[in-house]
């Protein structure tokens, strides 16, 4: 019987999980504060930041958990995150009127030192590496 223990939470994966956890906490707390105090100023931006926070939470949990289902959830969450960063990042630069306030993903995460752009790329590379190491196809 093969082990269901995933190696996503070992080695560099632990650092990746820690960064995801920090991003989850930061994005979620910031968006909740903005939604509670100034939602009428930029509702789309603040809701997108909340979505980013939720994606970071899901990715963090999925990377911590073991098994094929959690592995797939991690892949879906991180791909969603990458698409979100690229889409929101591009739109925020092309049409600044859409985002009167910054989101986590605005300007490809410039307000977060571009961590939101680098994180999903690194996450997908890590998941691919784990998949190859564990022999999944």
């Amino acid at each position: 019987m093969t082990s269901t223990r995933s190696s996503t939470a070992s080695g560099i994966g632990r650092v990746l999980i820690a960064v995801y956890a920090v991003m989850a906490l930061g994005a979620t707390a910031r968006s909740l504060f903005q939604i509670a105090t100034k939602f009428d100023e930029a509702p789309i931006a603040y809701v997108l930041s909340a979505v980013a926070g939720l994606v970071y939470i899901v990715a963090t949990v999925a990377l911590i958990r073991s098994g094929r289902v959690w592995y797939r959830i991690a892949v879906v969450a991180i791909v969603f995150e990458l698409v979100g960063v690229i889409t929101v990042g591009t739109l925020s630069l092309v049409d600044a009127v859409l985002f009167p306030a910054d989101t986590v993903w605005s300007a490809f995460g410039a307000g977060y030192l571009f961590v939101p752009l680098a994180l999903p790329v690194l996450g997908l590379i890590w998941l691919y590496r784990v998949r190859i190491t564990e022999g999944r196809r």
Side-chain angles (χ1 to χ4, degrees), residues 8-21 119:
T8 56
S10 64
I12 297 297
R14 289 181 188 215
V15 174
L16 193 64
I17 290 167
V19 175
Y20 265 104
L119 195 56

Side-chain angles (χ1 to χ4, degrees), residues 35-57:
I35 288 169
T37 61
K38 49 189 176 179
F39 182 75
D40 55 330
E41 293 176 19
I44 293 173
Y46 300 148
V47 168
L48 282 173
S49 286
V51 168
L54 290 174
V55 170
Y56 291 131
I57 291 169

Side-chain angles (χ1 to χ4, degrees), residues 9-136:
S10 64
I12 297 297
R14 289 181 188 215
V15 174
L16 193 64
I17 290 167
V19 175
Y20 265 104
V22 168
M23 290 299 295
L25 180 62
T28 304
R30 176 184 176 186
S31 68
L32 291 176
F33 174 78
Q34 290 169 326
I35 288 169
T37 61
K38 49 189 176 179
F39 182 75
D40 55 330
E41 293 176 19
I44 293 173
Y46 300 148
V47 168
L48 282 173
S49 286
V51 168
L54 290 174
V55 170
Y56 291 131
I57 291 169
V58 170
T60 302
V61 171
L63 288 169
I64 292 169
R65 302 294 306 231
S66 61
R68 288 181 187 240
V69 171
W70 286 108
Y71 178 89
R72 289 183 180 135
I73 291 170
V75 170
V76 169
I78 294 172
V79 167
F80 181 89
E81 172 194 0
L82 182 59
V83 170
V85 170
I86 291 170
T87 303
V88 173
T90 302
L91 289 174
S92 67
L93 295 176
V94 171
D95 190 2
V97 175
L98 289 174
F99 302 101
D102 284 342
T103 73
V104 175
W105 295 337
S106 292
F108 306 105
Y112 288 80
L113 303 174
F114 298 101
V115 171
L117 181 60
L119 195 56
V121 173
L122 296 173
L124 290 172
I125 290 169
W126 177 248
L127 288 171
Y128 178 76
R129 182 176 178 268
V130 166
R131 179 180 179 155
I132 295 302
T133 303
E134 292 183 359
R136 293 186 186 158

